[in-house]
Amino acid sequence: MKILVCISNVPDTTTKIRFTDNNTAFDATGVQWIINPWDELALTRALELKEASGEAIEKITVINVGPQTTEPTIRKALAIGADDAVRIDAVPEDAYAVASNLSSYLKDNPYDIILCGIDSSDYNGSLVGGMLAEFLDLPSVSSVSKLDIDGGDIKLNREIDGGSEVLSTVVPFVAIVQKGIAFEPRIPSMRGIMMARKKPLNVVPSGGEAALTEFVSYDLPPAKSACKMVDAENVKELVDLLHNEAKAI
Amino acid sequence: MSVLVYTENWDGKFKKLSFELVSYAKQIADRSGTTVTALSIGAVDEAELKKLGNYGADKVLSATDERLNVLINKAYASVIAEAAENEGAQVIIFANNFTGKALSPRVSVKLKAGIASGVNAVPSSYDPFTVSKKVFTGKAFANVVIKSDKKILTLFQNSVEIAETGGDAAVEVFSPALNDADFATKVLDVNKITGKVLLSDADVVVSGGRGMKNADNWAPLEELAAELGAALACSRPVSDEGWRPHEEHVGQTGKIIAPNLYFAMGISGAIQHLGGVSSSKCIVAVNTDKDAPIFESADYGIVGDVQKVLPELITAIREMKAS
Ligand SMILES: Cc1cc2nc3c(=O)[nH]c(=O)nc-3n(C[C@H](O)[C@H](O)[C@H](O)COP(=O)(O)OP(=O)(O)OC[C@H]3O[C@@H](n4cnc5c(N)ncnc54)[C@H](O)[C@@H]3O)c2cc1C
Ligand SMILES: Nc1ncnc2c1ncn2[C@@H]1O[C@H](COP(=O)(O)O)[C@@H](O)[C@H]1O
């Protein structure tokens, strides 16, 4: 069995977001790039499953659709423990183009379990995993908070709006994962970093459909007015303000 | 031509979110000179389906095959795509909740319809079709142009007004073609959360952070929530410590919410936390540290000890309600 983890390359979660060119482009000056947090957890879970599987899971591959500048992020995934990596050489224009690129590669290079995160912390699409499943005509299970392989049987938990469910599915399938899938992301060890340099990172040309959407400009939220401070000895005043001024209670 | 809106039900009932979606669809349909068709999947009775008319649905399609009683992404996506084609839908609308995130991308590929997900307003232009959505976990908005003929939007909760139109919807049975191969995924067990206000539905949210010190200190937060009909939430360390269940965790790696009122009690206001709550209309913070970053994002603040402030707050709210 082979597991694929789709990773997106995103600004560190503490990045101060700025735009340039008259608010038409993200300002990447000084930005630290990381593996999208969900994808890091997905990779962590894939490694746990592989270790528990004996020989049953032979390989974990990470894949990214991106230009050469994403390679440090891909190398980090190799350092964490992925066996090999693929970079599809294309600028990720939108989720549709990314998923289409991934699917055209996967049609010739199939995997049994494909893991995606529930959303990328940059454009918050929550789209690529579901689109990829549809392009490949595979089942998808989304908002997955637990994934187990018991013998050959796949068991998943997913969160729904107002509860949770236990599901089974058949391989190959796409799982779109979120909180709970793994507890703490693994960090690369010294040895992992050394080994990552020698692991294969295959670059393949873009082969997907064009984007259907375009991000044309950006706005920052309006500046927040100053916080109105209320004295701790006068909690009643807060309630008055919430009732009469904010009309929130 | 029409605008198709997928209206999910919860045990046969619609809720505020469903009406928000139909109201939103109605505004887009009016601008485009077309009608609104709502699609319901699963068992919902006629009276409940009719309610959608009051928010602007002209027609309600109801698909009730037993196999559709649980959400199977592949099958549901086929049903929605078939309805969209039958209706000649140019715009298809979903909620930006777990269900919408599961289904909309599949429908997008089936129909080759570009998606803007997590939109927070009606389109600012129809030609080119341009709509605003949240990006960078609430830190910015992007204006997205959808270039394909068919378009899909997933609406961020609590971002549009609900408008009652007094309209009446025609309910039609819809019997989609179901394909056995679409049911390879099976739901084995369902656990519904009962007896508390869901975070995704709540107008008011009461949230606690590490400043609450331990799980036993949650009683006054629960009391405050009960008093306000609010849902409970928490910061990530609180759920990591197991003081509160995971489904209450809000923030970048938890739930992203936009209530009318958010109480941040003993929460420092880390950027990843704010990502999940910064769209709240009003934020109240109580923190012992006057320099806590949460005060930069809050509308009202008290520098003080939550243990002391909470009981006084509950009393003051009771007095306000009584007067
Ligand atoms: C990739 C990534 C993703 C993350 N995602 C999330 C997320 O989704 N959600 C999230 O919440 N965090 C997230 N975090 C963690 C985040 O960075 C913070 O560590 C976390 O939000 C802090 O939680 P806290 O405010 O409860 O605790 P602390 O930062 O410890 O703050 C406790 C606050 O309580 C105050 N306090 C102490 N005693 C009292 C008292 N008696 N009365 C009143 N106030 C008191 C203190 O002054 C302090 O401000 C993420 C971090 C990373 C790196
Ligand atoms: N450029 C990309 N390359 C590979 N995988 C991606 C890329 N963008 C997004 N993904 C995957 O899709 C998930 C959801 O991303 P998104 O739909 O962009 O919110 C991410 O967590 C990744 O698993």
Side-chain angles (χ1 to χ4, degrees):
Chain A
M1 191 138 77
K2 293 194 293 180
I3 304 182
L4 181 78
V5 182
C6 301
I7 59 170
S8 73
N9 176 52
V10 297
D12 180 272
T13 52
T14 57
T15 305
K16 184 150 175 32
I17 302 301
R18 290 193 202 86
F19 301 99
T20 59
D21 298 341
N22 218 356
N23 279 350
T24 60
F26 173 65
D27 183 357
T29 320
V31 169
Q32 289 272 8
W33 296 88
I34 60 167
I35 306 173
N36 188 41
W38 300 123
D39 308 345
E40 210 175 14
L41 288 178
L43 175 58
T44 301
R45 183 63 191 147
L47 292 166
E48 291 167 0
L49 289 171
K50 184 181 173 209
E51 286 154 10
S53 80
E55 305 285 286
I57 297 173
E58 72 230 48
K59 184 166 93 156
I60 296 169
T61 302
V62 291
I63 192 165
N64 171 257
V65 179
Q68 205 199 342
T69 48
T70 68
E71 287 193 2
T73 299
I74 301 175
R75 286 274 172 219
K76 184 173 173 204
L78 291 171
I80 292 172
D83 297 295
D84 61 3
V86 176
R87 179 172 68 81
I88 302 179
D89 190 24
V91 174
E93 303 268 5
D94 78 345
Y96 189 87
V98 167
S100 170
N101 258 300
L102 290 169
S103 72
S104 67
Y105 175 79
L106 291 172
K107 276 178 185 146
D108 301 325
N109 301 276
Y111 281 78
D112 304 286
I113 299 180
I114 299 171
L115 302 180
C116 285
I118 194 167
D119 99 335
S120 292
S121 58
D122 48 6
Y123 296 100
N124 304 131
S126 294
L127 297 171
V128 169
M131 287 180 171
L132 176 59
E134 188 62 42
F135 273 119
L136 295 171
D137 197 26
L138 295 180
S140 57
V141 185
S142 35
S143 45
V144 171
S145 53
K146 208 159 174 280
L147 166 61
D148 286 302
I149 307 174
D150 187 2
D153 297 336
I154 307 294
K155 270 268 187 70
L156 309 107
N157 285 33
R158 80 169 165 203
E159 192 172 354
I160 53 171
D161 298 286
S164 63
E165 293 176 342
V166 183
L167 296 96
S168 69
T169 196
V170 292
V171 289
F173 70 98
V174 177
I176 299 150
V177 309
Q178 58 141 1
K179 183 177 167 73
I181 189 69
F183 191 61
E184 277 290 324
R186 286 204 187 168
I187 48 172
S189 64
M190 234 11 239
R191 186 162 162 272
I193 295 168
M194 302 296 288
M195 280 168 59
R197 294 194 195 133
K198 298 192 203 87
K199 288 180 179 171
L201 193 172
N202 305 311
V203 180
V204 301
S206 162
E209 290 181 46
L212 299 179
T213 60
E214 190 181 335
F215 285 65
V216 289
S217 64
Y218 300 89
D219 305 307
L220 289 171
K224 193 107 192 169
S225 50
C227 182
K228 218 175 237 187
M229 299 308 290
V230 175
D231 196 285
E233 300 303 320
N234 195 5
V235 175
K236 198 177 159 301
E237 188 191 336
L238 174 65
V239 173
D240 286 344
L241 287 166
L242 290 177
H243 183 60
N244 297 317
E245 187 177 83
K247 307 211 181 316
I249 57 175
Chain B
M1 274 255 294
S2 73
V3 174
L4 183 75
V5 49
Y6 171 56
T7 43
E8 178 179 5
N9 72 83
W10 287 264
D11 295 325
K13 297 284 174 231
F14 296 122
K15 54 190 186 187
K16 186 177 153 225
L17 173 68
S18 325
F19 306 136
E20 247 171 67
L21 288 168
V22 178
S23 290
Y24 181 71
K26 172 72 175 159
Q27 287 190 57
I28 294 179
D30 282 351
R31 271 298 310 265
S32 324
T34 176
T35 57
V36 175
T37 302
L39 170 63
S40 164
I41 303 179
V44 182
D45 68 31
E46 169 117 7
E48 189 71 13
L49 293 168
K50 281 258 178 207
K51 283 186 188 165
L52 300 176
N54 187 33
Y55 300 90
D58 298 283
K59 190 200 296 187
V60 181
L61 299 177
S62 171
T64 57
D65 191 292
E66 283 219 330
R67 286 193 284 174
L68 300 172
N69 281 347
V70 289
L71 174 68
I72 303 298
N73 295 349
K74 205 161 182 267
Y76 267 55
S78 300
V79 172
I80 296 168
E82 187 181 329
E85 289 194 324
N86 291 350
E87 294 296 305
Q90 291 299 111
V91 179
I92 304 153
I93 293 166
F94 293 85
N96 185 49
N97 61 0
F98 285 128
T99 310
K101 289 176 185 179
L103 300 176
S104 62
R106 297 202 72 123
V107 175
S108 159
V109 172
K110 280 187 185 291
L111 301 176
K112 211 173 172 179
I115 299 198
S117 57
V119 300
N120 60 295
V122 290
S124 55
S125 148
Y126 285 76
D127 188 17
F129 193 95
T130 313
V131 60
S132 155
K133 70 155 290 189
K134 295 178 191 234
V135 289
F136 296 102
T137 323
K139 285 188 261 182
F141 300 94
N143 296 303
V144 185
V145 171
I146 305 181
K147 297 184 281 189
S148 50
D149 287 345
K150 291 175 191 155
K151 293 147 182 98
I152 299 180
L153 304 172
T154 75
L155 180 66
F156 198 88
Q157 78 208 49
N158 209 10
S159 44
V160 294
E161 294 289 326
I162 293 179
E164 296 193 33
T165 61
D168 191 25
V171 174
E172 285 180 17
V173 173
F174 174 48
S175 306
L178 297 179
N179 181 350
D180 286 343
D182 285 350
F183 291 90
T185 303
K186 306 251 181 310
V187 174
L188 308 176
D189 196 14
V190 182
N191 303 297
K192 296 239 164 87
I193 298 170
T194 52
K196 60 181 196 177
V197 183
L198 295 178
L199 255 182
S200 50
D201 297 341
D203 285 328
V204 181
V205 172
V206 172
S207 186
R210 204 143 50 183
M212 295 299 298
K213 299 290 195 295
N214 62 55
D216 299 335
N217 286 339
W218 243 262
L221 280 186
E222 286 172 341
E223 209 178 324
L224 176 62
E227 199 58 51
L228 295 169
L232 285 161
C234 66
S235 68
R236 183 165 100 168
V238 166
S239 69
D240 284 352
E241 293 285 345
W243 298 353
R244 299 298 304 175
H246 285 300
E247 73 263 9
E248 288 181 10
H249 159 196
V250 292
Q252 168 139 24
T253 47
K255 293 218 165 57
I256 296 178
I257 55 171
N260 291 330
L261 178 59
Y262 181 76
F263 285 92
M265 305 306 229
I267 293 176
S268 60
I271 190 132
Q272 297 94 347
H273 184 83
L274 292 172
V277 303
S278 60
S279 299
S280 307
K281 305 234 157 66
C282 177
I283 297 180
V284 175
V286 178
N287 198 303
T288 41
D289 175 5
K290 70 171 180 23
D291 297 321
I294 189 72
F295 289 123
E296 283 161 37
S297 300
D299 298 279
Y300 300 100
I302 291 184
V303 177
D305 182 341
V306 277
Q307 302 306 335
K308 187 171 162 292
V309 171
L310 268 169
E312 291 176 19
L313 185 57
I314 294 164
T315 309
I317 288 171
R318 286 194 181 132
E319 281 169 6
M320 187 269 291
K321 280 188 176 170
S323 68

